[in-house]
Amino acid sequence: MVRRSGGRSQSRFDHPPEEELLRAEEAAALLGVKRATLYTYVSRGLVRCVPEKGTKENRYLRADLERLKTRHDARAGHAAVASGALRWGEPVIDSSVSRIDERGLQYRGHDAVALATGGHLFEDVAELLWTGHLPSVSTPWPFSEGGLTRGASALSAFERSDPSQGTRRGSGPKPRGAPPLTPSALAALLPRDTPPLSALAALVPLLAASDEGRFAAPVEQEQARARRIIRQMGAWVCVTQAPGRVSRALKEDTVAASLATAWDSKVKRAPELLNRALILCADHELNTSTFAARVTASSGADLYASLSAALAAVSGHKHGGSCDRVEALLTEVGRPERAAQVVHGRLRRGEAVTGFGHRLYPQGDPRTPPLVEAALSVRPEPLRVKVARAVMDTMRDAGHPPPAMDFGLVMLADALGLPPGAGTLLFGLGRTAGWVAHILEQREQGHLLRPRARYVEPSQSPAAK
């Protein structure tokens, strides 16, 4: 049989070699039809099939089957369901990384809160998300050259150079073979008040440019690459304010300890409490930044590009950037005794009090109490923690939902004396572990994420004209 498409002949047996093929019973089950109906679709040129060598059976292209099923679902009124699924609706992607249900949040079947409060390292949880196995013995990620290509190993050359000797602003690109960008050089390129997350968003593409083996790497190499990227990110958070601390932070054994050193926290338990926060942020199913990472990864982009897409998404004020709004709220309140005045004033004017309630947790975000507990355990209690506590009490007394994780992250950052933007940074850096897991899972699934748009006529309002 030959059918014509776009003015050229096309056999039903022509197909890209990377396309997934299904057996007849699998194809019929996917469409929800009998085999006879499947054969009818083949005869009409709607589904292509490929003879299996050595047998009389055929295999059917999954892409054709899914395209046909989508068309039938749309005709049956399922298009609205698909559209709504992108707005906190029904699940749209199969994933084994994390689950949210009435029991709370689980990472690969392990309770996230129990992992965060049970003595595990953030690194252990990352390995769990990537491999499905929780290490029986905690294994830090010391900064080393192991497992990466020559190009990537050059990234730590700045440790062997004078960290104070950076590239001058506007001095042009480095010649081939010169040491890679130093912390001082990156600091010279960025304003001093650059938020930590924005600094890391600038760092990741620079790491990519030095890694010649980043394309189509095996899973084991990608996991090693991810360890290195996350270790770098944890150490470079201070690059605009204190670039000299980056090399010291990289000498720490864990990501949480790197953060504590980079931010020069004076709280002795800072690594332990930061480790808890990173674990609680490690994954949260198909949130906006994770979806951005998966869409980018599905295109064949490398690990750095996929992480950069997620970093861009997490900066938005409706996602990880909501921590910045919580910071602004606490700054506006200023003193505990002003909490009721500011909160009720906002509510009276119809303004949002950011950081309270979560659509997936009607009874309260289970990740928040461990963060609040960690913040309240720091003594002496900082003024901003007292302010946060007063805001929580005011919202509770007014009958509003309990605080979400964003509020807890800011509260903990204030307890540890961390700089502005630290809450958003903790959100993004912790979530990097989940992003990597979803990137690897998306690659394993192999298909391109390409939703369709349902066309609607343009508005005819005067403003539209």
Side-chain angles (χ1 to χ4, degrees):
M1 171 188 171
V2 175
R3 62 187 176 93
R4 298 195 175 272
S5 175
R8 66 180 179 86
S9 298
Q10 181 182 36
S11 166
R12 74 185 187 192
F13 302 124
D14 293 336
H15 72 98
E18 69 274 12
E19 289 278 11
E20 183 179 355
L21 303 173
L22 301 182
R23 297 192 303 272
E25 59 268 28
E26 295 172 331
L30 176 62
L31 293 174
V33 299
K34 297 180 180 179
R35 283 202 192 187
T37 305
L38 171 65
Y39 302 148
T40 299
Y41 291 147
V42 172
S43 68
R44 292 167 56 191
L46 298 175
V47 176
R48 290 169 289 173
C49 60
V50 180
E52 184 179 31
K53 293 181 180 180
T55 72
K56 295 182 179 180
E57 296 183 355
N58 289 327
R59 294 290 184 265
Y60 302 84
L61 268 71
R62 175 184 281 275
D64 289 355
L65 297 164
E66 291 183 339
R67 188 179 303 112
L68 184 61
K69 185 176 188 302
T70 299
R71 186 188 307 175
H72 287 178
D73 287 347
R75 289 175 178 172
H78 291 238
V81 175
S83 176
L86 297 178
R87 306 174 187 174
W88 298 82
E90 292 300 313
V92 294
I93 290 179
D94 294 333
S95 176
S96 301
V97 179
S98 64
R99 177 173 59 188
I100 301 171
D101 57 20
E102 65 279 358
R103 294 171 292 179
L105 172 65
Q106 298 93 40
Y107 300 154
R108 301 279 190 182
H110 295 258
D111 182 81
V113 173
L115 290 170
T117 58
H120 296 281
L121 291 179
F122 168 66
E123 289 82 348
D124 298 338
V125 174
E127 299 290 345
L128 168 66
L129 292 171
W130 300 346
T131 68
H133 303 288
L134 182 67
S136 56
V137 178
S138 291
T139 306
W141 295 340
F143 188 75
S144 67
E145 310 300 337
L148 293 181
T149 64
R150 177 179 58 81
S153 67
L155 294 174
S156 66
F158 72 84
E159 290 189 275
R160 299 186 292 274
S161 64
D162 181 0
S164 65
Q165 300 301 312
T167 304
R168 296 190 307 277
R169 188 187 302 269
S171 61
K174 287 175 172 289
R176 184 177 296 276
L181 189 70
T182 67
S184 295
L186 181 57
L189 296 172
L190 299 173
R192 185 173 176 79
D193 60 352
T194 298
L197 190 73
S198 298
L200 296 191
L203 171 69
V204 171
L206 297 174
L207 298 181
S210 300
D211 186 354
E212 298 170 355
R214 66 187 183 274
F215 299 102
V219 172
E220 294 77 13
Q221 287 188 18
E222 286 290 69
Q223 291 172 358
R225 180 169 283 104
R227 296 183 193 104
R228 184 182 186 87
I229 294 171
I230 296 173
R231 287 287 283 118
Q232 290 271 9
M233 292 173 71
W236 285 66
V237 296
C238 61
V239 65
T240 56
Q241 289 81 29
R245 286 203 294 263
V246 172
S247 59
R248 296 205 307 272
L250 279 172
K251 294 176 182 178
E252 300 288 354
D253 283 340
T254 67
V255 177
S258 286
L259 281 174
T261 297
W263 275 326
D264 197 27
S265 176
K266 305 304 181 185
V267 178
K268 185 176 181 180
R269 295 177 57 221
E272 171 195 345
L273 301 182
L274 288 170
N275 182 78
R276 175 184 294 194
L278 291 172
I279 291 176
L280 290 169
C281 295
D283 196 61
H284 204 233
E285 195 215 60
L286 202 60
N287 53 83
T288 305
S289 55
T290 299
F291 189 55
R294 290 192 74 130
V295 170
T296 307
S298 78
S299 74
D302 65 63
L303 184 63
Y304 299 92
S306 300
L307 292 176
S308 292
L311 285 168
V314 84
S315 68
H317 70 269
K318 294 183 179 180
H319 194 21
S322 62
C323 291
D324 299 334
R325 290 192 167 191
V326 174
E327 287 183 2
L329 168 65
L330 299 184
T331 298
E332 181 184 352
V333 173
R335 302 188 307 275
E337 57 269 22
R338 293 192 68 244
Q341 175 188 346
V342 172
V343 168
H344 291 308
R346 283 195 172 199
L347 296 174
R348 184 172 58 254
R349 295 189 299 270
E351 300 174 3
V353 180
T354 305
F356 289 83
H358 195 294
R359 294 181 65 169
L360 295 181
Y361 301 111
Q363 305 305 315
D365 190 335
R367 302 167 296 175
T368 308
L371 292 170
V372 173
E373 176 189 334
L376 296 179
S377 71
V378 176
R379 292 288 183 270
E381 187 176 35
L383 173 61
R384 283 181 66 92
V385 174
K386 295 178 181 178
V387 170
R389 192 152 46 84
V391 171
M392 285 196 303
D393 292 344
T394 301
M395 290 292 285
R396 182 198 61 221
D397 294 344
H400 291 276
M405 186 179 69
D406 316 278
F407 197 93
L409 288 172
V410 172
M411 194 172 179
L412 177 58
D414 287 337
L416 298 177
L418 305 184
T424 301
L425 185 282
L426 288 173
F427 185 105
L429 183 59
R431 189 60 51 84
T432 306
W435 293 338
V436 171
H438 283 273
I439 290 166
L440 297 177
E441 185 178 65
Q442 185 61 45
R443 288 179 179 173
E444 183 180 358
Q445 292 179 0
H447 57 270
L448 177 70
L449 290 175
R450 205 293 190 187
R452 292 295 310 279
R454 186 174 65 247
Y455 179 77
V456 295
E457 291 295 335
S459 171
Q460 297 302 312
S461 65
K465 297 178 181 178

